[in-house]
Amino acid sequence: MKRKAAKAGKLRLSPNEETMLLKEEYERRRKLRLQQVREQQKYIALQIRQKVKQRREQQLHRLEEALRAEWQKAQDEKMKALEELYLSNLRAIGEAHRQAKENEPDLEALAKQAE
């Protein structure tokens, strides 16, 4: 009787049950592997997006610096041109009066001629 009790505790699976268990284990591992691959792909995609964003920000920063330098250069040129114009106008302030004095008719000579 002891042998029957010992054998009763050790049940063997039928070939169909064994095949089903192996198939279930294979499917479980397959799903786990798919899940791991998907997570890897998500991580890689995240890294790529971050690199693209960083590169875009760097390009924008460089473009901003270039445009700012160009704008500053244009402003400096405008300022120099305006300074030159201002200085030439300052020099020309008294010139019109001097020219008017030089071209002023001699009233005494005209009066003598008229007499």
Side-chain angles (χ1 to χ4, degrees), residues 7-36:
K7 281 189 177 181
K10 270 187 160 180
L11 293 177
R12 285 199 78 211
L13 298 174
S14 71
N16 287 341
E17 289 174 330
E18 193 175 331
T19 305
M20 272 185 54
L21 281 177
L22 288 175
K23 206 177 221 183
E24 286 174 0
E25 180 63 19
Y26 174 78
E27 285 299 316
R28 186 186 69 78
R29 288 183 181 190
R30 185 174 158 273
K31 286 179 184 178
L32 183 62
R33 179 65 185 142
L34 282 174
Q35 194 175 15
Q36 289 172 345

Side-chain angles (χ1 to χ4, degrees), residues 73-87:
K73 184 179 176 183
Q75 291 297 96
D76 290 344
E77 289 174 4
K78 285 180 186 178
M79 184 68 100
K80 284 180 185 178
L82 289 173
E83 280 180 15
E84 288 176 16
L85 182 62
Y86 175 73
L87 291 175

Side-chain angles (χ1 to χ4, degrees), residues 25-78:
E25 180 63 19
Y26 174 78
E27 285 299 316
R28 186 186 69 78
R29 288 183 181 190
R30 185 174 158 273
K31 286 179 184 178
L32 183 62
R33 179 65 185 142
L34 282 174
Q35 194 175 15
Q36 289 172 345
V37 168
R38 285 183 185 146
E39 287 186 22
Q40 273 183 333
Q41 288 173 340
K42 283 181 186 178
Y43 179 71
I44 291 169
L46 177 65
Q47 284 181 328
I48 291 171
R49 283 193 303 270
Q50 287 174 343
K51 285 180 184 178
V52 167
K53 183 179 178 183
Q54 184 180 15
R55 195 176 316 139
R56 183 180 299 133
E57 287 175 359
Q58 287 174 348
Q59 289 174 346
L60 283 175
H61 185 66
R62 281 190 295 241
L63 179 62
E64 177 188 1
E65 287 178 354
L67 288 174
R68 189 178 306 276
E70 185 179 324
W71 177 81
Q72 189 64 44
K73 184 179 176 183
Q75 291 297 96
D76 290 344
E77 289 174 4
K78 285 180 186 178

